[in-house]
Amino acid sequence: MRAKTEIRRQAILDAAAEVFQETGFERATMAAICERLGYSKATLYNYFASKEELFSAVVFEATEAEFQSTLEALDASFTDITLALEKFGRGLLTLLYSPQVQAMRRLIVSEASRSELGQKCYELGPVRNEAATAVFLQQAMDAGHLRQADAHIAALHLRGLLEAEWLDRFLFQTLGPVADAQINDTVQRAVAAFLAAYGPMPQ
């Protein structure tokens, strides 16, 4: 029974993601999602109490697996800070600029000012990312791989540098598919700039 419940919940999330991406959050309706699934409204509301709750679940579903994979790149046992940061950067940019996550981010941005969705999605993604990155950077600082600084500010600077080359094009929807080679080149430049600011002080 539990397996059947999970299969049905996943079907709801998949259908909802399609509807949200096709129509936007504002115009999407629970009725339209039910119609696509062939489920009754009672069944849908048994899993999700509101459209907002369903949207938050769709966002979480779209990002969680890759987000966890990205966090695994923050390995405290590293011996080369450059390679560690580049591994993290590749994971983060591959996640953020995948077509699926780009579509979700645009939906979130378009709805952020009209409801609490912006805050909820911000907490699901950037807040968790910043906290985990700050812990990793503090460990690197304590080990002498980086100079001592505010780790949370450093985490924001790292993310800003990683996204600097693409963020405006993403926001204005002029960014096409991003190739692995582009990600590698961007990450190398961003990490070099980060280390120029936060690398260990000369002895």
Side-chain angles (χ1 to χ4, degrees):
M1 181 63 71
R2 183 176 180 181
K4 184 176 180 181
T5 298
E6 286 302 315
I7 290 171
R8 182 169 287 183
R9 184 180 186 276
Q10 187 61 53
I12 292 171
L13 291 173
D14 292 343
E18 292 174 0
V19 172
F20 286 135
Q21 290 181 27
E22 290 169 8
T23 67
F25 175 81
E26 187 69 21
R27 288 182 293 169
T29 65
M30 297 293 263
I33 296 167
C34 287
E35 182 178 351
R36 182 159 303 199
L37 286 162
Y39 292 174
S40 67
K41 284 188 178 181
T43 298
L44 185 56
Y45 281 105
N46 187 48
Y47 286 85
F48 299 98
S50 66
K51 186 171 72 168
E52 289 78 9
E53 182 180 316
L54 178 53
F55 184 78
S56 294
V58 166
V59 172
F60 187 83
E61 175 77 12
T63 62
E64 185 61 15
E66 290 180 89
F67 178 78
Q68 290 301 329
S69 177
T70 299
L71 293 189
E72 290 173 6
L74 296 171
D75 181 4
S77 65
F78 63 86
T79 56
D80 187 317
I81 186 62
T82 300
L83 294 179
L85 291 173
E86 288 179 350
K87 181 180 179 182
F88 167 69
R90 286 192 299 271
L92 180 65
L93 292 186
T94 299
L95 166 67
L96 293 180
Y97 290 94
S98 66
Q100 184 182 31
V101 175
Q102 282 197 56
M104 281 297 161
R105 291 176 79 191
R106 290 192 177 105
L107 274 175
I108 293 165
V109 170
S110 68
E111 296 299 327
S113 64
R114 285 182 255 179
S115 68
E116 296 179 358
L117 285 173
Q119 182 65 34
K120 290 179 181 178
C121 294
Y122 173 65
E123 291 169 356
L124 279 174
V127 169
R128 291 192 305 157
N129 185 282
E130 178 193 335
T133 305
V135 169
F136 172 76
L137 293 178
Q138 186 63 61
Q139 291 171 335
M141 292 172 188
D142 294 342
H145 298 299
L146 299 172
R147 69 174 178 81
Q148 286 293 333
D150 185 317
H152 284 278
I153 297 299
L156 292 173
H157 287 170
L158 177 59
R159 166 126 179 193
L161 287 166
L162 287 167
E163 287 206 76
E165 296 179 18
W166 299 349
L167 187 57
D168 281 347
R169 284 186 288 163
F170 162 73
L171 291 174
F172 289 96
Q173 301 191 35
T174 63
L175 182 67
V178 180
D180 289 345
Q182 290 176 281
I183 289 176
N184 288 335
D185 291 345
T186 293
V187 167
Q188 288 176 3
R189 289 189 288 267
V191 169
F194 180 80
L195 289 175
Y198 286 96
M201 300 296 290
Q203 297 297 322

